[in-house]
Tab-separated table of all heavy atoms in Angstrom:
chain	number	residue	atom	x	y	z
A	107	LEU	N	112.715	101.579	101.816
A	107	LEU	CA	113.486	102.497	102.661
A	107	LEU	C	112.679	102.750	103.969
A	107	LEU	O	111.555	103.133	103.894
A	107	LEU	CB	113.714	103.800	101.945
A	107	LEU	CG	114.735	104.757	102.571
A	107	LEU	CD1	116.167	104.158	102.479
A	107	LEU	CD2	114.643	106.125	101.918
A	108	LEU	N	113.307	102.435	105.052
A	108	LEU	CA	112.667	102.665	106.340
A	108	LEU	C	113.461	103.766	107.081
A	108	LEU	O	114.648	103.601	107.358
A	108	LEU	CB	112.663	101.384	107.193
A	108	LEU	CG	111.792	100.219	106.731
A	108	LEU	CD1	112.518	99.416	105.610
A	108	LEU	CD2	111.462	99.283	107.848
A	109	LYS	N	112.748	104.806	107.459
A	109	LYS	CA	113.375	105.915	108.177
A	109	LYS	C	112.989	105.881	109.631
A	109	LYS	O	111.985	105.264	110.055
A	109	LYS	CB	112.911	107.225	107.545
A	109	LYS	CG	113.229	107.367	106.084
A	109	LYS	CD	112.682	108.686	105.568
A	109	LYS	CE	112.856	108.816	104.030
A	109	LYS	NZ	112.231	110.082	103.510
A	110	GLU	N	113.796	106.632	110.449
A	110	GLU	CA	113.488	106.777	111.864
A	110	GLU	C	113.145	105.438	112.450
A	110	GLU	O	112.005	105.286	113.096
A	110	GLU	CB	112.355	107.754	112.060
A	110	GLU	CG	112.666	109.152	111.542
A	110	GLU	CD	111.446	110.026	111.523
A	110	GLU	OE1	110.449	109.777	112.236
A	110	GLU	OE2	111.475	111.058	110.787
A	111	LEU	N	114.010	104.463	112.349
A	111	LEU	CA	113.726	103.136	112.721
A	111	LEU	C	113.335	103.007	114.207
A	111	LEU	O	113.875	103.665	115.090
A	111	LEU	CB	114.909	102.224	112.519
A	111	LEU	CG	115.227	101.847	111.055
A	111	LEU	CD1	116.577	101.220	110.949
A	111	LEU	CD2	114.123	100.983	110.509
A	112	GLN	N	112.287	102.182	114.445
A	112	GLN	CA	111.843	101.923	115.773
A	112	GLN	C	112.046	100.387	116.095
A	112	GLN	O	112.078	99.588	115.151
A	112	GLN	CB	110.371	102.306	115.899
A	112	GLN	CG	110.101	103.746	115.583
A	112	GLN	CD	108.590	104.121	115.568
A	112	GLN	OE1	107.754	103.322	116.003
A	112	GLN	NE2	108.268	105.271	115.098
A	113	MET	N	112.074	100.066	117.337
A	113	MET	CA	112.303	98.690	117.699
A	113	MET	C	111.202	97.772	117.107
A	113	MET	O	111.459	96.618	116.716
A	113	MET	CB	112.359	98.507	119.187
A	113	MET	CG	113.500	99.248	119.875
A	113	MET	SD	115.115	98.795	119.221
A	113	MET	CE	115.213	97.088	119.783
A	114	LYS	N	109.965	98.273	117.006
A	114	LYS	CA	108.897	97.465	116.510
A	114	LYS	C	108.999	97.197	114.968
A	114	LYS	O	108.286	96.341	114.449
A	114	LYS	CB	107.575	98.190	116.673
A	114	LYS	CG	107.429	99.525	115.853
A	114	LYS	CD	106.020	100.091	116.114
A	114	LYS	CE	105.882	101.395	115.303
A	114	LYS	NZ	104.539	102.039	115.533
A	115	ASP	N	110.017	97.843	114.348
A	115	ASP	CA	110.247	97.576	112.889
A	115	ASP	C	111.025	96.260	112.701
A	115	ASP	O	111.214	95.842	111.572
A	115	ASP	CB	110.993	98.704	112.241
A	115	ASP	CG	110.178	100.030	112.251
A	115	ASP	OD1	108.944	99.915	112.220
A	115	ASP	OD2	110.811	101.098	112.349
A	116	SER	N	111.447	95.699	113.799
A	116	SER	CA	112.152	94.389	113.716
A	116	SER	C	111.212	93.368	113.141
A	116	SER	O	110.253	93.041	113.833
A	116	SER	CB	112.734	93.951	115.060
A	116	SER	OG	113.752	94.840	115.487
A	117	ALA	N	111.488	92.838	111.979
A	117	ALA	CA	110.558	91.912	111.378
A	117	ALA	C	111.253	91.393	110.063
A	117	ALA	O	112.341	91.865	109.722
A	117	ALA	CB	109.246	92.615	110.976
A	118	SER	N	110.568	90.542	109.374
A	118	SER	CA	111.022	90.181	108.039
A	118	SER	C	110.237	91.005	107.049
A	118	SER	O	109.068	91.281	107.179
A	118	SER	CB	110.774	88.678	107.787
A	118	SER	OG	111.692	87.848	108.486
A	119	TYR	N	110.984	91.431	105.974
A	119	TYR	CA	110.373	92.183	104.950
A	119	TYR	C	110.393	91.387	103.641
A	119	TYR	O	111.487	90.998	103.196
A	119	TYR	CB	111.066	93.545	104.840
A	119	TYR	CG	110.805	94.390	106.033
A	119	TYR	CD1	111.566	94.298	107.141
A	119	TYR	CD2	109.707	95.255	106.086
A	119	TYR	CE1	111.284	94.999	108.348
A	119	TYR	CE2	109.436	96.021	107.203
A	119	TYR	CZ	110.224	95.878	108.326
A	119	TYR	OH	109.936	96.614	109.445
A	120	LEU	N	109.247	91.150	103.088
A	120	LEU	CA	109.130	90.303	101.922
A	120	LEU	C	108.848	91.118	100.670
A	120	LEU	O	107.918	91.994	100.701
A	120	LEU	CB	107.974	89.287	102.081
A	120	LEU	CG	107.896	88.465	103.393
A	120	LEU	CD1	106.652	87.644	103.421
A	120	LEU	CD2	109.139	87.586	103.500
A	121	CYS	N	109.578	90.933	99.623
A	121	CYS	CA	109.235	91.582	98.355
A	121	CYS	C	108.642	90.490	97.479
A	121	CYS	O	108.930	89.294	97.613
A	121	CYS	CB	110.402	92.259	97.711
A	121	CYS	SG	111.635	91.277	96.920
A	122	ALA	N	107.701	90.874	96.657
A	122	ALA	CA	107.050	89.932	95.739
A	122	ALA	C	106.672	90.652	94.493
A	122	ALA	O	106.211	91.760	94.506
A	122	ALA	CB	105.800	89.323	96.404
A	123	TYR	N	106.920	90.038	93.320
A	123	TYR	CA	106.415	90.652	92.112
A	123	TYR	C	105.213	89.850	91.623
A	123	TYR	O	105.081	88.679	91.943
A	123	TYR	CB	107.534	90.744	91.054
A	123	TYR	CG	107.945	89.434	90.410
A	123	TYR	CD1	107.255	88.831	89.368
A	123	TYR	CD2	109.105	88.791	90.821
A	123	TYR	CE1	107.690	87.691	88.779
A	123	TYR	CE2	109.570	87.623	90.260
A	123	TYR	CZ	108.843	87.027	89.226
A	123	TYR	OH	109.269	85.867	88.667
A	124	MET	N	104.392	90.551	90.895
A	124	MET	CA	103.217	89.893	90.304
A	124	MET	C	103.476	89.615	88.832
A	124	MET	O	103.781	90.529	88.085
A	124	MET	CB	101.965	90.802	90.544
A	124	MET	CG	100.668	90.210	90.063
A	124	MET	SD	99.241	91.119	90.570
A	124	MET	CE	99.044	90.557	92.269
A	125	ASP	N	103.360	88.356	88.456
A	125	ASP	CA	103.709	87.997	87.127
A	125	ASP	C	102.548	88.216	86.147
A	125	ASP	O	101.492	88.802	86.537
A	125	ASP	CB	104.202	86.507	87.049
A	125	ASP	CG	103.175	85.505	87.378
A	125	ASP	OD1	101.968	85.836	87.451
A	125	ASP	OD2	103.501	84.318	87.581
A	126	SER	N	102.711	87.776	84.929
A	126	SER	CA	101.736	88.031	83.885
A	126	SER	C	100.425	87.331	84.217
A	126	SER	O	99.376	87.737	83.622
A	126	SER	CB	102.278	87.612	82.520
A	126	SER	OG	102.636	86.210	82.540
A	127	ASN	N	100.395	86.309	85.019
A	127	ASN	CA	99.138	85.650	85.424
A	127	ASN	C	98.591	86.209	86.745
A	127	ASN	O	97.708	85.618	87.341
A	127	ASN	CB	99.407	84.123	85.604
A	127	ASN	CG	99.839	83.495	84.273
A	127	ASN	OD1	99.250	83.747	83.234
A	127	ASN	ND2	100.854	82.610	84.333
A	128	TYR	N	99.099	87.358	87.112
A	128	TYR	CA	98.674	88.050	88.363
A	128	TYR	C	98.934	87.177	89.567
A	128	TYR	O	98.249	87.255	90.594
A	128	TYR	CB	97.158	88.414	88.277
A	128	TYR	CG	96.910	89.396	87.176
A	128	TYR	CD1	96.438	89.050	85.960
A	128	TYR	CD2	97.206	90.739	87.366
A	128	TYR	CE1	96.210	89.969	84.922
A	128	TYR	CE2	96.978	91.703	86.382
A	128	TYR	CZ	96.474	91.276	85.213
A	128	TYR	OH	96.288	92.205	84.147
A	129	GLN	N	99.944	86.343	89.492
A	129	GLN	CA	100.336	85.501	90.600
A	129	GLN	C	101.547	86.126	91.282
A	129	GLN	O	102.452	86.600	90.631
A	129	GLN	CB	100.683	84.095	90.154
A	129	GLN	CG	101.109	83.145	91.259
A	129	GLN	CD	101.265	81.715	90.753
A	129	GLN	OE1	100.356	81.208	90.093
A	129	GLN	NE2	102.329	81.019	91.100
A	130	LEU	N	101.518	86.155	92.633
A	130	LEU	CA	102.629	86.731	93.378
A	130	LEU	C	103.788	85.766	93.463
A	130	LEU	O	103.594	84.599	93.845
A	130	LEU	CB	102.184	87.173	94.811
A	130	LEU	CG	101.370	88.402	94.870
A	130	LEU	CD1	100.884	88.572	96.339
A	130	LEU	CD2	102.166	89.610	94.444
A	131	ILE	N	104.992	86.165	93.144
A	131	ILE	CA	106.199	85.395	93.282
A	131	ILE	C	106.968	86.062	94.414
A	131	ILE	O	107.411	87.225	94.307
A	131	ILE	CB	106.988	85.400	91.966
A	131	ILE	CG1	106.113	85.016	90.746
A	131	ILE	CG2	108.180	84.493	92.097
A	131	ILE	CD1	105.476	83.618	90.916
A	132	TRP	N	107.198	85.307	95.461
A	132	TRP	CA	107.768	85.838	96.668
A	132	TRP	C	109.283	85.687	96.813
A	132	TRP	O	109.809	84.578	96.478
A	132	TRP	CB	107.090	85.195	97.920
A	132	TRP	CG	105.654	85.452	98.001
A	132	TRP	CD1	104.622	84.800	97.394
A	132	TRP	CD2	105.040	86.503	98.782
A	132	TRP	NE1	103.393	85.365	97.728
A	132	TRP	CE2	103.627	86.413	98.581
A	132	TRP	CE3	105.517	87.504	99.628
A	132	TRP	CZ2	102.733	87.235	99.156
A	132	TRP	CZ3	104.625	88.353	100.229
A	132	TRP	CH2	103.233	88.226	100.019
A	133	GLY	N	109.934	86.663	97.351
A	133	GLY	CA	111.323	86.544	97.779
A	133	GLY	C	111.336	85.815	99.116
A	133	GLY	O	110.293	85.603	99.765
A	134	ALA	N	112.474	85.379	99.542
A	134	ALA	CA	112.641	84.653	100.793
A	134	ALA	C	112.516	85.488	102.027
A	134	ALA	O	112.387	85.015	103.133
A	134	ALA	CB	113.950	83.868	100.760
A	135	GLY	N	112.508	86.844	101.834
A	135	GLY	CA	112.371	87.701	102.925
A	135	GLY	C	113.730	88.170	103.475
A	135	GLY	O	114.734	87.425	103.425
A	136	THR	N	113.747	89.391	104.047
A	136	THR	CA	114.910	89.937	104.732
A	136	THR	C	114.602	90.150	106.179
A	136	THR	O	113.687	90.902	106.478
A	136	THR	CB	115.324	91.248	104.081
A	136	THR	OG1	115.686	91.064	102.691
A	136	THR	CG2	116.521	91.862	104.831
A	137	LYS	N	115.314	89.470	107.035
A	137	LYS	CA	115.075	89.649	108.449
A	137	LYS	C	115.843	90.896	108.896
A	137	LYS	O	117.043	91.013	108.750
A	137	LYS	CB	115.622	88.453	109.223
A	137	LYS	CG	115.378	88.509	110.744
A	137	LYS	CD	115.872	87.303	111.411
A	137	LYS	CE	115.686	87.377	112.928
A	137	LYS	NZ	116.164	86.217	113.654
A	138	LEU	N	115.123	91.868	109.367
A	138	LEU	CA	115.699	93.140	109.857
A	138	LEU	C	115.784	93.175	111.344
A	138	LEU	O	114.757	92.998	112.044
A	138	LEU	CB	114.859	94.293	109.362
A	138	LEU	CG	115.333	95.719	109.791
A	138	LEU	CD1	116.718	96.015	109.214
A	138	LEU	CD2	114.331	96.748	109.365
A	139	ILE	N	116.969	93.322	111.862
A	139	ILE	CA	117.199	93.350	113.309
A	139	ILE	C	117.557	94.793	113.684
A	139	ILE	O	118.508	95.411	113.151
A	139	ILE	CB	118.382	92.452	113.695
A	139	ILE	CG1	118.030	91.007	113.259
A	139	ILE	CG2	118.689	92.525	115.163
A	139	ILE	CD1	119.189	90.015	113.391
A	140	ILE	N	116.787	95.363	114.628
A	140	ILE	CA	117.006	96.724	115.074
A	140	ILE	C	117.664	96.679	116.417
A	140	ILE	O	117.147	96.032	117.368
A	140	ILE	CB	115.684	97.517	115.162
A	140	ILE	CG1	114.873	97.404	113.859
A	140	ILE	CG2	115.959	98.983	115.523
A	140	ILE	CD1	115.540	97.989	112.658
A	141	LYS	N	118.772	97.369	116.554
A	141	LYS	CA	119.479	97.455	117.820
A	141	LYS	C	119.347	98.818	118.454
A	141	LYS	O	119.279	99.803	117.750
A	141	LYS	CB	120.988	97.104	117.638
A	141	LYS	CG	121.194	95.636	117.151
A	141	LYS	CD	122.684	95.313	117.083
A	141	LYS	CE	122.876	93.873	116.691
A	141	LYS	NZ	124.327	93.511	116.600
Side-chain angles (χ1 to χ4, degrees):
Chain A
L107 190 71
L108 294 79
K109 303 177 183 176
E110 301 170 17
L111 287 170
Q112 302 175 10
M113 297 303 294
K114 67 178 182 180
D115 297 329
S116 293
S118 286
Y119 291 86
L120 311 175
C121 76
Y123 70 82
M124 185 169 277
D125 67 11
S126 56
N127 296 317
Y128 297 98
Q129 181 170 313
L130 283 176
I131 309 300
W132 296 85
T136 298
K137 182 179 180 181
L138 178 62
I139 300 169
I140 309 297
K141 295 184 175 180

